[in-house]
Amino acid sequence: MSADVRIGPDDIRRRKGGVPIVCLTAYTYPVARLLDDHVDLLLVGDSVAMVLHGHKTTLGASLEMMIAHGQAVMRGSAKACVVVDMPAGSYETSAAQALASARQVVDETGCQAVKLEGGTDIAEQIAAIVAAGIPVMGHIGLQPQSVEKDGGYKIKGRTEENVTALFRDAEAVEKAGAFSVVIEGTVETVAAELTRRLSIPTIGIGASADCDGQILVIDDMVGLTVDRVPKFVKEYAALRGVVSDAAARYAAEVRSRAFPGPDHVFPATSGKDKA
């Protein structure tokens, strides 16, 4: 594929069983610019409500919030397949509601697909959106939008009953026409078996290395998360310390009047007036 051609949902679907699919979340223009050359898929996750807006759960995300961040990421991305999360409350009521919300997201952002959480309970919504020509990524296992109903962030696949439900959900999402499915917070062996059984790619997060791809929240991955970091996260950088140290040095220089120095002000005799 040419470097100037954007990766699409069909390209992701064809990666089943091949080279693992690299996915990360992105919420802003500069981060999308930095990640675009390295990933196959950028997810504008409803985790933005927690990561950037300080909410305790993803339930703080709104359709307007997702669209605004989706627009920013699309401005910064030229290559990656961009998927925007459908926030809680925007699709559960009916297929008609889900389709209207999905159309709004795609029309206003230009993204390549949307993502919905759930399995058998939202199969009708997925099918309606796909039938309208909008690609859908599924999301099963631990579902952050259901955290209050579930009584917390509970790992899935611990009981026989739950494993059976997971397989039903996976099959429902696949049958409804999703081009891929995220498996989150699920026992490793169960996630691996789900990957073997499904004909669409699985994207793991706190799941299994056998999944067809992996995704992490970008702030978690680069060590910028200031609250609790999930067990399944590997931090590839330590930006918390970098940002804190930079702020401390800046504060010290401002208080000592070392900043701004001669290089950061505009002398009256200079012809350089560009900021």
Side-chain angles (χ1 to χ4, degrees):
M1 179 179 292
S2 172
D4 59 357
V5 176
R6 187 181 289 278
I7 297 168
D10 286 342
D11 300 311
I12 299 296
R13 185 195 294 268
R14 286 192 287 268
R15 295 278 293 274
K16 176 69 181 180
V19 176
I21 302 160
V22 180
C23 313
L24 282 168
T25 66
Y27 317 112
T28 64
Y29 167 80
V31 169
R33 283 280 303 272
L34 291 170
L35 301 184
D36 198 51
D37 284 340
H38 306 289
V39 303
D40 303 303
L41 186 148
L42 289 172
L43 173 66
V44 186
D46 59 358
S47 47
V48 67
M50 301 171 70
V51 175
L52 294 189
H53 294 272
H55 290 277
K56 294 298 184 184
T57 71
T58 64
L59 297 177
S62 65
L63 202 59
E64 293 72 23
M65 183 188 294
M66 299 312 304
I67 289 170
H69 288 284
Q71 290 169 339
V73 169
M74 282 298 294
R75 293 184 194 110
S77 167
K79 185 202 80 171
C81 180
V82 177
V83 180
V84 176
D85 257 339
M86 301 275 282
S90 70
Y91 62 90
E92 300 94 322
T93 301
S94 67
Q97 180 208 27
L99 178 54
S101 296
R103 277 182 171 151
Q104 184 179 353
V105 169
V106 173
D107 288 348
E108 295 188 26
T109 68
C111 68
Q112 284 67 64
V114 296
K115 181 169 77 64
L116 284 70
E117 291 186 14
T120 57
D121 56 330
I122 61 151
E124 183 181 352
Q125 285 91 324
I126 293 175
I129 296 171
V130 172
I134 300 172
V136 172
M137 171 180 272
H139 185 144
I140 63 171
L142 192 160
Q143 297 167 36
Q145 292 178 10
S146 300
V147 66
E148 292 183 356
K149 180 177 66 178
D150 289 350
Y153 295 94
K154 296 182 178 179
I155 301 304
K156 305 300 180 181
R158 297 284 192 203
T159 66
E160 185 176 340
E161 179 183 10
N162 187 236
V163 171
T164 299
L166 280 168
F167 281 106
R168 282 199 304 265
D169 283 342
E171 290 165 4
V173 167
E174 179 181 44
K175 186 176 180 181
F179 72 91
S180 62
V181 60
V182 171
I183 303 176
E184 179 170 359
T186 297
V187 171
E188 181 182 13
T189 53
V190 177
E193 182 59 26
L194 284 166
T195 299
R196 284 189 286 272
R197 291 197 192 185
L198 291 175
S199 64
I200 58 175
T202 60
I203 308 299
I205 177 167
S208 169
D210 287 336
C211 289
D212 297 297
Q214 300 294 328
I215 189 166
L216 285 176
V217 168
I218 181 61
D219 293 63
D220 290 346
M221 191 273 282
V222 298
L224 194 55
T225 299
V226 295
D227 295 317
R228 177 183 173 274
V229 178
K231 175 185 183 296
F232 55 74
V233 170
K234 178 176 180 179
E235 294 186 340
Y236 287 81
L239 295 191
R240 282 185 298 273
V242 173
V243 172
S244 180
D245 178 64
R249 290 188 291 113
Y250 167 73
E253 290 194 4
V254 168
R255 289 170 181 141
S256 67
R257 299 192 184 277
F259 177 84
D263 292 339
H264 310 108
V265 294
F266 303 99
T269 56
S270 174
K272 295 183 179 179
D273 288 331
K274 190 174 180 180

